[in-house]
Amino acid sequence: MKLFISADMEGISGIVDPSYIDPDKGKNYERGRILMTHDVNAVIEAAVESGATEILVADSHYRMTNILIEQLHPKATLLCGSPRDFSMMQGLDPSFDAALFIGYHSRHGVPGVLSHTMSGVIKNLYVNDQVVGEFGFNAIYAALCGVPVCFVSGDDQIADEAKALIPKISTAIVKKAQSRTSAACLSLQESKRVLHETTKQALASLPGLSPMQVKLPLELAVDFSHAGQAEMAAIVPGTKYEHGTTMVTFVAQDQYELYRVMRAMMNLAGTVEFC
Ligand SMILES: [Zn+2]
């Protein structure tokens, strides 16, 4: 069994605010890295017990150099560093049996610890008229690679968001959100147990899980925080934009074009100063 893991940081056990996830000025960042490696190892250990023979872990937060390789489970390979064309999903291809998302968070504008979508410039992201966060966007990418997403860990809010898209997904809830920067967190011993048990359950239920159904072509719509960002994003060839609005659209032929164009738009929009 060959498994792909995409690991973000906001939904990791014990992490509640930016001080744990910001490599430049987070006073708890080094603790955040230890916590992230803890959660990833708990899942890998259970996956190996369940028969996984190959595990690729894509470090998927910010500069993507967060996981401590010194402490990573020996059976996993770590894909780290950036930039990467397919960002959080780099390395996934049809040869994988399943994808597992660790430390994920809910989308921008809804409750959940550190909820956001990709970066501060994106207010809402739509694929085929459905609003998606990072979970949904990456699950669509996986589905079009023919790979089912069987597991997500994070707070109670991302568990709900994931189940709305993939009802049969196994969810490991390691904290309950109280506000965007506060949560009731399980102890590390308990979260390790929950991650371990949920991984085993997810992999046992794989035979009954097929990849999400996604229609092609993919209608991508990105709603930016302000019109200046949208104007900059609309430089990307093939996009459509109505002047003065915040929404830029693009029709992608496959998941690779979808990811590349979303990233190109987001990175261009990110260069615009607000005032
Ligand atoms: Zn992140």
Side-chain angles (χ1 to χ4, degrees):
M1 183 165 49
K2 189 172 169 183
L3 301 178
F4 177 83
I5 292 175
S6 171
D8 202 354
M9 213 165 179
E10 290 83 349
I12 292 293
S13 301
I15 288 184
V16 292
D17 67 28
S19 72
Y20 291 84
I21 62 169
D22 182 341
D24 298 322
K25 38 187 199 305
K27 65 179 186 302
N28 286 309
Y29 175 66
E30 289 304 321
R31 293 178 63 207
R33 302 179 74 187
I34 294 169
L35 294 167
M36 185 180 187
T37 309
H38 165 275
D39 281 17
V40 168
N41 278 342
V43 171
I44 296 170
E45 199 182 286
V48 170
E49 283 176 24
S50 298
T53 46
E54 243 183 277
I55 303 172
L56 180 65
V57 182
D59 190 327
S60 297
H61 173 75
Y62 200 15
R63 295 196 193 101
M64 306 178 170
T65 51
N66 311 286
I67 292 170
L68 298 164
I69 195 166
E70 302 90 326
Q71 292 167 25
L72 185 65
H73 191 291
K75 293 286 181 203
T77 300
L78 181 62
L79 199 162
C80 51
S82 57
R84 316 198 293 229
D85 283 12
F86 307 112
S87 185
M88 304 174 84
M89 298 305 282
Q90 188 79 29
L92 182 68
D93 65 42
S95 69
F96 285 85
D97 295 297
L100 297 88
F101 294 170
I102 300 175
Y104 269 48
H105 52 84
S106 50
R107 65 183 173 82
H108 177 95
V110 300
V113 174
L114 297 164
S115 62
H116 69 279
T117 301
M118 300 291 177
S119 89
V121 299
I122 296 179
K123 214 162 67 180
N124 270 312
L125 194 56
Y126 302 85
V127 178
N128 295 344
D129 286 330
Q130 178 165 39
V131 64
V132 288
E134 293 173 26
F135 175 87
F137 194 83
N138 292 337
I140 287 169
Y141 184 93
L144 291 167
C145 290
V147 179
V149 181
C150 65
F151 170 102
V152 67
S153 76
D155 68 8
D156 53 321
Q157 299 297 317
I158 186 57
D160 289 348
E161 189 173 314
K163 276 203 179 289
L165 281 175
I166 304 175
K168 284 187 184 167
I169 195 168
S170 299
T171 59
I173 299 173
V174 299
K175 55 195 171 189
K176 283 201 175 128
Q178 310 292 300
S179 72
R180 193 171 174 276
T181 48
S182 165
C185 303
L186 296 182
S187 69
L188 291 190
Q189 285 97 324
E190 184 60 10
S191 80
K192 185 176 180 183
R193 190 189 64 75
V194 169
L195 290 161
H196 194 97
E197 275 182 15
T198 311
T199 303
K200 290 205 137 183
Q201 177 197 320
L203 296 178
S205 65
L206 258 189
L209 190 69
S210 30
M212 234 164 62
Q213 293 297 308
V214 184
K215 270 199 227 141
L216 288 172
L218 300 151
E219 289 176 22
L220 170 68
V222 187
D223 192 12
F224 289 95
S225 296
H226 65 81
Q229 294 165 341
E231 285 165 359
M232 192 62 105
I235 290 173
V236 176
T239 54
K240 284 201 176 131
Y241 174 59
E242 204 177 306
H243 213 74
T245 67
T246 53
M247 187 87 90
V248 184
T249 61
F250 181 86
V251 178
Q253 298 308 315
D254 57 30
Q255 70 273 30
Y256 309 112
E257 193 177 32
L258 178 80
Y259 224 120
R260 283 198 174 101
V261 170
M262 183 279 292
R263 289 194 58 237
M265 285 205 254
M266 176 177 74
N267 291 342
L268 273 169
T271 64
V272 180
E273 303 253 344
F274 186 64
C275 51

